[in-house]
Amino acid sequence: MMHCCAPSGWHPLAPAPRAKSGVLIDTGEELLAAALGDESVLARAAQSIEPFIVPYDQLARVDGWAVWLGHPPVPDGFPLLPAPGHLMWDEPEVALAAAAAVAADYSARRGADSAQAMVEILVRESPVAIVVPGELAAGLRALLGEVGELGVPVLERPVDVDKSLSSVPSFARRREAHRREIGRLHDPALSFQHFVTSGRIGGDARSTFVLHNEGERDNLSVTGVLGGPIGIEVGVGGPGITVEATEALERQAAKMPSFLNGVMSRVASDSLEIGWRLDAEPSPMELGEVFRIWLKALHGVELVDVRIVLAPPHERSALLTEMNSRAERFKRRRAATIAGDED
């Protein structure tokens, strides 16, 4: 049986060990059951698939993958889901189950902890879509409906396959973000990487991280060089971004440095601890741009004002002290607003 739940101690910022160039699918089972019910034929089929390697790092170079729910051959250039051939071609029911397993595993590794969270993630950034090129057997209709309920895009009898795939919202978001070259590969799926950290910054009492809704301009500014404490202030602007809404956005933004190839990030001591693989030290500009690119791509934020202050390891920084004070004031106001205590 395929184990779709996260292994004990697993955390989205410290994912399961990698095998070869991919990650062993062994998460997502509980998410599928929660979303579709324990008696779901699709959920049971996905659980019965033997584990296989998914090269998630490929998603930094492609818009997404697709399952061809018809007879081969597929059109030239079709972005076929990289799963074993017997899963893709023996029976269409098995191909749908493999797609559901990959989608659920992806959402679990992106931090989904409920059926609702899984659907939200897949609607926003599903790495897989289903293409039905012709008539659909009656027995597959219910399974296809369940796949759609998960948030996986389904394209039935598209006139132009390439054009239809390019218009899938989650694929279009990836494509638009990837067009922004910042010096290295970047994608949410790269946050699944597991590596030995050779350097790190932040995560200490002098460092700070905050996302607020008082952004002044669509810009990035950096002061200082890597080496000691780091202050990151992300100001966002756009319709519907209330003080309360910044709490969830801040949690999402905290993961974004790990979208950079060879970089990880986690919240520590009211700041971000950012680490990197040997020979993969990020530049401050790369750190700043990854917030700007993916807050816009994934969350539709119109204005992203990123300010980064880097202080020497053992010296005071008036700019960083000021940034810390601003962050503390905003977080206190946000907590009061959420609690309904703001005057």
Side-chain angles (χ1 to χ4, degrees), residues 55-124:
Y56 282 118
D57 50 358
Q58 287 184 11
L59 289 172
R61 292 184 171 89
V62 300
D63 300 344
W65 300 309
V67 170
W68 181 262
L69 213 63
H71 297 293
V74 300
D76 290 341
F78 187 80
L80 191 66
L81 177 69
H86 69 277
L87 297 180
M88 292 292 95
W89 302 115
D90 284 1
E91 298 291 341
E93 295 89 346
V94 177
L96 283 176
V102 170
D105 181 71
Y106 176 92
S107 63
R109 294 179 184 277
R110 283 285 285 126
D113 57 4
S114 68
Q116 179 181 350
M118 175 177 67
V119 172
E120 290 174 354
I121 288 171
L122 293 178
V123 167
R124 187 179 69 217

Coordinates of all heavy atoms in Angstrom, one line a residue, residues 55-124:
P55 N 10.5 13.4 -9.9 CA 11.6 14.4 -10.0 C 11.0 15.9 -9.9 O 11.0 16.6 -10.8 CB 12.2 14.2 -11.3 CG 11.1 13.6 -12.1 CD 10.2 12.9 -11.2
Y56 N 10.6 16.2 -8.6 CA 10.0 17.5 -8.5 C 10.9 18.7 -8.9 O 10.4 19.8 -9.3 CB 9.6 17.7 -7.0 CG 8.4 17.0 -6.5 CD1 8.5 16.0 -5.6 CD2 7.1 17.3 -7.1 CE1 7.3 15.3 -5.1 CE2 6.0 16.6 -6.7 CZ 6.1 15.6 -5.7 OH 5.0 14.9 -5.3
D57 N 12.2 18.5 -8.9 CA 13.0 19.6 -9.3 C 12.8 20.0 -10.7 O 13.2 21.1 -11.1 CB 14.5 19.3 -9.0 CG 15.0 18.0 -9.5 OD1 14.1 17.2 -10.1 OD2 16.1 17.6 -9.4
Q58 N 12.2 19.1 -11.5 CA 11.9 19.5 -12.9 C 11.0 20.6 -13.0 O 10.9 21.3 -14.0 CB 11.3 18.3 -13.7 CG 12.3 17.2 -14.0 CD 11.7 16.1 -14.8 OE1 10.5 16.2 -15.3 NE2 12.4 14.9 -15.0
L59 N 10.1 20.8 -12.0 CA 9.1 21.9 -12.0 C 9.7 23.3 -12.0 O 9.0 24.2 -12.3 CB 8.2 21.7 -10.8 CG 7.2 20.5 -10.9 CD1 6.5 20.4 -9.6 CD2 6.2 20.6 -12.0
A60 N 11.0 23.4 -11.8 CA 11.7 24.7 -11.9 C 11.9 25.0 -13.3 O 12.3 26.2 -13.6 CB 13.0 24.7 -11.1
R61 N 11.7 24.1 -14.2 CA 12.0 24.3 -15.7 C 10.8 24.2 -16.6 O 10.8 24.5 -17.7 CB 13.1 23.3 -16.2 CG 14.5 23.6 -15.6 CD 15.5 22.6 -16.2 NE 16.8 22.9 -15.8 CZ 17.5 22.5 -14.7 NH1 16.8 21.7 -13.9 NH2 18.7 22.8 -14.5
V62 N 9.7 23.6 -16.0 CA 8.5 23.4 -16.8 C 7.3 24.1 -16.2 O 7.3 24.4 -15.0 CB 8.2 21.9 -17.0 CG1 9.4 21.2 -17.7 CG2 7.9 21.2 -15.7
D63 N 6.2 24.2 -16.9 CA 5.0 24.8 -16.4 C 4.2 23.9 -15.5 O 3.5 24.3 -14.6 CB 4.0 25.3 -17.5 CG 4.7 26.3 -18.4 OD1 5.7 26.9 -18.0 OD2 4.2 26.6 -19.5
G64 N 4.4 22.6 -15.8 CA 3.7 21.5 -15.1 C 3.7 20.3 -15.9 O 4.2 20.2 -17.0
W65 N 3.1 19.2 -15.4 CA 3.0 17.9 -16.1 C 1.5 17.6 -16.4 O 0.6 18.2 -15.8 CB 3.5 16.8 -15.2 CG 5.0 17.0 -14.8 CD1 6.0 17.2 -15.7 CD2 5.5 16.9 -13.5 NE1 7.2 17.3 -15.0 CE2 6.9 17.1 -13.6 CE3 5.0 16.6 -12.3 CZ2 7.8 17.0 -12.5 CZ3 5.9 16.6 -11.2 CH2 7.2 16.8 -11.3
A66 N 1.3 16.7 -17.3 CA -0.1 16.3 -17.7 C -0.2 14.8 -17.9 O 0.8 14.1 -18.2 CB -0.5 17.1 -19.0
V67 N -1.4 14.3 -17.7 CA -1.7 12.9 -17.9 C -2.6 12.9 -19.1 O -3.6 13.6 -19.2 CB -2.4 12.3 -16.7 CG1 -3.0 10.9 -17.0 CG2 -1.5 12.2 -15.5
W68 N -2.3 12.0 -20.1 CA -3.1 11.9 -21.3 C -4.0 10.7 -21.1 O -3.6 9.6 -21.1 CB -2.1 11.6 -22.5 CG -2.7 11.4 -23.8 CD1 -3.1 10.2 -24.4 CD2 -3.1 12.5 -24.7 NE1 -3.6 10.5 -25.7 CE2 -3.6 11.8 -25.9 CE3 -3.0 13.9 -24.7 CZ2 -4.1 12.5 -27.0 CZ3 -3.5 14.6 -25.8 CH2 -4.0 13.9 -26.9
L69 N -5.3 11.0 -20.9 CA -6.3 10.0 -20.6 C -6.9 9.5 -21.9 O -8.1 9.6 -22.2 CB -7.4 10.6 -19.7 CG -8.0 9.6 -18.7 CD1 -6.9 9.1 -17.8 CD2 -9.1 10.2 -17.9
G70 N -6.1 9.0 -22.8 CA -6.5 8.4 -24.0 C -5.4 7.5 -24.6 O -4.5 7.1 -23.9
H71 N -5.6 7.0 -25.8 CA -4.6 6.1 -26.4 C -3.4 6.8 -26.8 O -3.5 8.0 -27.3 CB -5.3 5.4 -27.6 CG -6.4 4.5 -27.2 ND1 -6.3 3.4 -26.4 CD2 -7.7 4.6 -27.5 CE1 -7.5 2.8 -26.2 NE2 -8.4 3.6 -26.9
P72 N -2.2 6.2 -26.7 CA -1.0 6.8 -27.3 C -1.1 6.7 -28.8 O -1.8 6.0 -29.3 CB 0.1 5.9 -26.7 CG -0.6 4.6 -26.4 CD -2.0 4.9 -26.0
P73 N -0.2 7.5 -29.5 CA 0.8 8.4 -28.9 C 0.3 9.7 -28.5 O -0.8 10.1 -28.9 CB 1.8 8.6 -30.1 CG 0.9 8.5 -31.3 CD -0.2 7.5 -31.0
V74 N 1.0 10.4 -27.6 CA 0.7 11.8 -27.2 C 1.2 12.8 -28.2 O 2.2 12.5 -29.0 CB 1.2 12.1 -25.8 CG1 0.6 11.1 -24.8 CG2 2.7 12.1 -25.8
P75 N 0.7 14.0 -28.3 CA 1.3 15.0 -29.2 C 2.7 15.3 -28.9 O 3.2 15.2 -27.7 CB 0.4 16.2 -29.0 CG -0.9 15.7 -28.3 CD -0.5 14.5 -27.5
D76 N 3.4 15.7 -29.9 CA 4.8 16.1 -29.7 C 4.9 17.2 -28.7 O 4.1 18.2 -28.7 CB 5.4 16.6 -31.0 CG 5.6 15.5 -32.0 OD1 5.7 14.3 -31.6 OD2 5.7 15.8 -33.2
G77 N 5.9 17.1 -27.8 CA 6.1 18.1 -26.8 C 5.1 18.0 -25.6 O 5.2 18.9 -24.7
F78 N 4.3 17.0 -25.5 CA 3.3 16.9 -24.5 C 4.1 16.7 -23.1 O 4.9 15.8 -23.0 CB 2.4 15.8 -24.7 CG 1.3 15.6 -23.7 CD1 0.1 16.4 -23.9 CD2 1.3 14.8 -22.7 CE1 -0.9 16.3 -23.0 CE2 0.3 14.6 -21.8 CZ -0.9 15.4 -21.9
P79 N 3.8 17.5 -22.1 CA 4.6 17.4 -20.8 C 4.1 16.3 -19.9 O 3.5 16.5 -18.9 CB 4.3 18.8 -20.2 CG 2.9 19.1 -20.6 CD 2.8 18.6 -22.1
L80 N 4.3 15.1 -20.3 CA 3.8 13.9 -19.7 C 4.3 13.8 -18.2 O 5.5 14.0 -18.0 CB 4.2 12.6 -20.5 CG 3.5 11.3 -20.1 CD1 2.0 11.4 -20.3 CD2 4.1 10.2 -20.8
L81 N 3.4 13.4 -17.3 CA 3.8 13.2 -15.9 C 4.9 12.2 -15.9 O 4.7 11.1 -16.4 CB 2.6 12.8 -15.1 CG 2.8 12.4 -13.7 CD1 3.2 13.6 -12.8 CD2 1.6 11.7 -13.1
P82 N 6.0 12.4 -15.2 CA 7.2 11.5 -15.2 C 6.9 10.3 -14.2 O 7.5 10.3 -13.1 CB 8.4 12.3 -14.8 CG 7.8 13.4 -14.0 CD 6.4 13.7 -14.6
A83 N 6.0 9.4 -14.6 CA 5.7 8.3 -13.7 C 5.9 7.0 -14.6 O 6.0 7.1 -15.8 CB 4.2 8.3 -13.3
P84 N 6.1 5.9 -13.9 CA 6.3 4.6 -14.6 C 5.3 4.4 -15.7 O 4.1 4.7 -15.6 CB 6.3 3.6 -13.5 CG 6.6 4.3 -12.3 CD 6.1 5.7 -12.4
G85 N 5.8 3.8 -16.9 CA 4.9 3.6 -18.0 C 3.7 2.8 -17.7 O 2.6 3.1 -18.2
H86 N 3.8 1.8 -16.9 CA 2.7 0.9 -16.6 C 1.6 1.7 -15.9 O 0.4 1.3 -15.9 CB 3.1 -0.4 -15.9 CG 3.5 -0.1 -14.5 ND1 4.8 0.3 -14.2 CD2 2.9 -0.2 -13.3 CE1 4.9 0.4 -12.8 NE2 3.8 0.1 -12.3
L87 N 1.9 2.7 -15.1 CA 0.9 3.5 -14.4 C 0.2 4.4 -15.4 O -1.0 4.7 -15.3 CB 1.6 4.3 -13.3 CG 2.2 3.5 -12.2 CD1 2.8 4.5 -11.1 CD2 1.2 2.6 -11.5
M88 N 0.9 4.9 -16.4 CA 0.4 5.9 -17.3 C -0.5 5.2 -18.4 O -1.4 5.9 -18.9 CB 1.5 6.7 -18.0 CG 2.2 7.7 -17.0 SD 1.2 9.0 -16.4 CE 0.6 8.4 -14.9
W89 N -0.2 4.0 -18.8 CA -0.8 3.5 -20.0 C -1.6 2.2 -19.8 O -2.4 1.8 -20.7 CB 0.3 3.2 -21.1 CG 1.1 4.5 -21.4 CD1 2.4 4.7 -21.2 CD2 0.5 5.7 -22.0 NE1 2.7 6.0 -21.6 CE2 1.6 6.6 -22.1 CE3 -0.8 6.1 -22.4 CZ2 1.4 7.9 -22.6 CZ3 -0.9 7.3 -22.9 CH2 0.1 8.2 -23.0
D90 N -1.4 1.4 -18.7 CA -2.1 0.1 -18.6 C -3.7 0.3 -18.5 O -4.4 -0.2 -19.3 CB -1.6 -0.6 -17.4 CG -0.3 -1.3 -17.7 OD1 0.2 -1.1 -18.8 OD2 0.2 -2.0 -16.8
E91 N -4.1 1.2 -17.6 CA -5.5 1.4 -17.4 C -5.7 2.9 -17.1 O -4.9 3.5 -16.3 CB -6.1 0.6 -16.2 CG -6.0 -0.9 -16.5 CD -7.0 -1.4 -17.6 OE1 -7.9 -0.6 -17.9 OE2 -6.8 -2.5 -18.1
P92 N -6.7 3.6 -17.6 CA -6.9 5.0 -17.3 C -7.2 5.3 -15.9 O -6.9 6.3 -15.3 CB -8.1 5.4 -18.3 CG -8.7 4.1 -18.7 CD -7.6 3.1 -18.7
E93 N -7.8 4.3 -15.2 CA -8.1 4.4 -13.8 C -6.8 4.6 -13.0 O -6.8 5.3 -12.0 CB -9.0 3.3 -13.3 CG -10.4 3.1 -13.9 CD -10.4 2.3 -15.1 OE1 -9.3 2.1 -15.7 OE2 -11.5 1.9 -15.6
V94 N -5.8 3.8 -13.4 CA -4.5 3.8 -12.7 C -3.8 5.1 -12.9 O -3.2 5.7 -12.1 CB -3.7 2.6 -13.1 CG1 -2.3 2.7 -12.4 CG2 -4.4 1.3 -12.7
A95 N -3.9 5.6 -14.2 CA -3.3 6.9 -14.5 C -3.9 8.0 -13.7 O -3.2 8.9 -13.2 CB -3.5 7.2 -16.0
L96 N -5.2 8.0 -13.5 CA -5.9 9.0 -12.7 C -5.4 8.9 -11.2 O -5.2 9.9 -10.5 CB -7.4 8.9 -12.7 CG -8.0 9.4 -14.0 CD1 -9.5 9.2 -14.0 CD2 -7.8 10.9 -14.1
A97 N -5.3 7.7 -10.7 CA -4.9 7.4 -9.4 C -3.4 7.9 -9.2 O -3.1 8.5 -8.1 CB -4.9 6.0 -9.0
A98 N -2.6 7.7 -10.2 CA -1.2 8.2 -10.1 C -1.2 9.8 -10.0 O -0.4 10.4 -9.2 CB -0.4 7.7 -11.2
A99 N -2.0 10.4 -10.8 CA -2.1 11.9 -10.8 C -2.6 12.4 -9.5 O -2.0 13.3 -8.9 CB -3.0 12.3 -11.9
A100 N -3.6 11.7 -8.9 CA -4.1 12.1 -7.6 C -3.0 11.9 -6.5 O -2.9 12.8 -5.6 CB -5.3 11.3 -7.3
A101 N -2.3 10.9 -6.6 CA -1.2 10.6 -5.6 C -0.1 11.7 -5.7 O 0.3 12.2 -4.6 CB -0.6 9.2 -5.8
V102 N 0.3 12.1 -6.9 CA 1.3 13.1 -7.0 C 0.8 14.4 -6.5 O 1.5 15.2 -5.8 CB 1.7 13.2 -8.5 CG1 2.6 14.4 -8.7 CG2 2.5 12.0 -8.9
A103 N -0.5 14.8 -6.9 CA -1.1 16.0 -6.4 C -1.2 16.1 -4.9 O -0.8 17.1 -4.3 CB -2.5 16.2 -7.1
A104 N -1.6 15.0 -4.3 CA -1.7 15.0 -2.8 C -0.4 15.1 -2.2 O -0.2 15.8 -1.2 CB -2.5 13.8 -2.4
D105 N 0.6 14.3 -2.7 CA 2.0 14.4 -2.1 C 2.6 15.8 -2.3 O 3.2 16.3 -1.3 CB 2.8 13.4 -2.9 CG 4.2 13.3 -2.3 OD1 4.4 12.8 -1.2 OD2 5.2 13.8 -3.0
Y106 N 2.4 16.4 -3.4 CA 2.9 17.8 -3.6 C 2.3 18.7 -2.6 O 3.0 19.5 -1.9 CB 2.6 18.2 -5.0 CG 2.9 19.7 -5.3 CD1 4.2 20.0 -5.8 CD2 2.1 20.7 -5.0 CE1 4.6 21.3 -6.1 CE2 2.4 22.0 -5.2 CZ 3.7 22.3 -5.8 OH 4.0 23.6 -6.0
S107 N 1.0 18.6 -2.4 CA 0.3 19.6 -1.4 C 0.8 19.3 0.0 O 0.9 20.2 0.8 CB -1.2 19.4 -1.6 OG -1.7 18.2 -1.2
A108 N 1.0 18.0 0.3 CA 1.5 17.7 1.7 C 2.9 18.3 1.9 O 3.2 18.9 2.9 CB 1.5 16.2 1.9
R109 N 3.7 18.2 0.9 CA 5.1 18.8 1.0 C 5.1 20.3 1.0 O 6.0 20.9 1.5 CB 6.0 18.2 -0.1 CG 6.2 16.7 0.0 CD 7.1 16.2 -1.1 NE 7.2 14.7 -1.0 CZ 8.0 14.1 -0.3 NH1 8.9 14.7 0.5 NH2 8.0 12.8 -0.2
R110 N 4.0 20.9 0.5 CA 3.9 22.3 0.5 C 3.2 22.8 1.8 O 2.9 24.0 1.9 CB 3.1 22.8 -0.7 CG 3.9 22.8 -2.0 CD 4.8 24.0 -2.1 NE 4.2 25.2 -2.3 CZ 4.3 26.3 -1.6 NH1 5.0 26.4 -0.5 NH2 3.6 27.4 -1.9
G111 N 2.9 21.9 2.7 CA 2.4 22.2 4.0 C 0.9 22.0 4.2 O 0.5 22.4 5.3
A112 N 0.2 21.4 3.3 CA -1.2 21.2 3.5 C -1.4 20.3 4.7 O -0.8 19.2 4.8 CB -1.9 20.6 2.3
D113 N -2.3 20.7 5.6 CA -2.6 19.8 6.8 C -4.1 19.5 6.9 O -4.6 19.1 8.0 CB -2.1 20.5 8.1 CG -2.7 21.9 8.3 OD1 -3.5 22.3 7.5 OD2 -2.2 22.6 9.3
S114 N -4.9 19.8 5.9 CA -6.3 19.5 5.9 C -6.7 19.4 4.4 O -6.0 19.8 3.5 CB -7.1 20.7 6.6 OG -7.0 21.9 5.8
A115 N -7.9 18.9 4.2 CA -8.5 18.7 2.9 C -8.6 20.1 2.2 O -8.3 20.3 1.1 CB -9.8 18.0 2.9
Q116 N -9.1 21.1 3.0 CA -9.3 22.4 2.5 C -8.0 23.0 2.0 O -7.9 23.6 1.0 CB -10.0 23.3 3.5 CG -10.2 24.7 3.0 CD -10.9 25.6 4.1 OE1 -11.3 25.1 5.1 NE2 -10.9 26.9 3.8
A117 N -7.0 22.8 2.9 CA -5.6 23.4 2.5 C -5.1 22.7 1.3 O -4.5 23.4 0.4 CB -4.7 23.2 3.7
M118 N -5.3 21.4 1.1 CA -4.8 20.7 -0.1 C -5.5 21.3 -1.3 O -4.8 21.6 -2.3 CB -5.1 19.3 0.0 CG -4.7 18.5 -1.3 SD -5.0 16.7 -1.2 CE -6.7 16.6 -1.0
V119 N -6.8 21.5 -1.3 CA -7.5 22.0 -2.4 C -7.0 23.4 -2.7 O -6.8 23.8 -3.9 CB -9.0 22.0 -2.2 CG1 -9.8 22.7 -3.3 CG2 -9.5 20.5 -2.1
E120 N -6.9 24.3 -1.7 CA -6.4 25.6 -2.0 C -5.0 25.6 -2.6 O -4.8 26.4 -3.6 CB -6.3 26.4 -0.6 CG -7.7 26.7 0.0 CD -7.6 27.3 1.4 OE1 -6.4 27.4 1.9 OE2 -8.6 27.7 1.9
I121 N -4.1 24.8 -2.2 CA -2.8 24.7 -2.8 C -2.9 24.2 -4.2 O -2.2 24.8 -5.1 CB -1.9 23.8 -2.0 CG1 -1.5 24.5 -0.6 CG2 -0.6 23.4 -2.8 CD1 -0.8 23.6 0.3
L122 N -3.7 23.2 -4.5 CA -3.8 22.6 -5.9 C -4.5 23.6 -6.8 O -4.1 23.7 -8.0 CB -4.4 21.3 -5.8 CG -3.6 20.2 -5.1 CD1 -4.4 18.9 -5.1 CD2 -2.2 20.0 -5.8
V123 N -5.5 24.3 -6.4 CA -6.1 25.3 -7.2 C -5.1 26.4 -7.6 O -5.1 26.8 -8.7 CB -7.4 25.9 -6.5 CG1 -7.8 27.1 -7.2 CG2 -8.5 24.9 -6.4
R124 N -4.3 26.7 -6.7 CA -3.3 27.8 -6.9 C -2.1 27.3 -7.7 O -1.6 28.0 -8.6 CB -2.8 28.3 -5.5 CG -1.9 29.5 -5.6 CD -1.6 29.9 -4.1 NE -0.7 28.9 -3.5 CZ -0.8 28.6 -2.2 NH1 -1.7 29.1 -1.4 NH2 0.1 27.7 -1.7

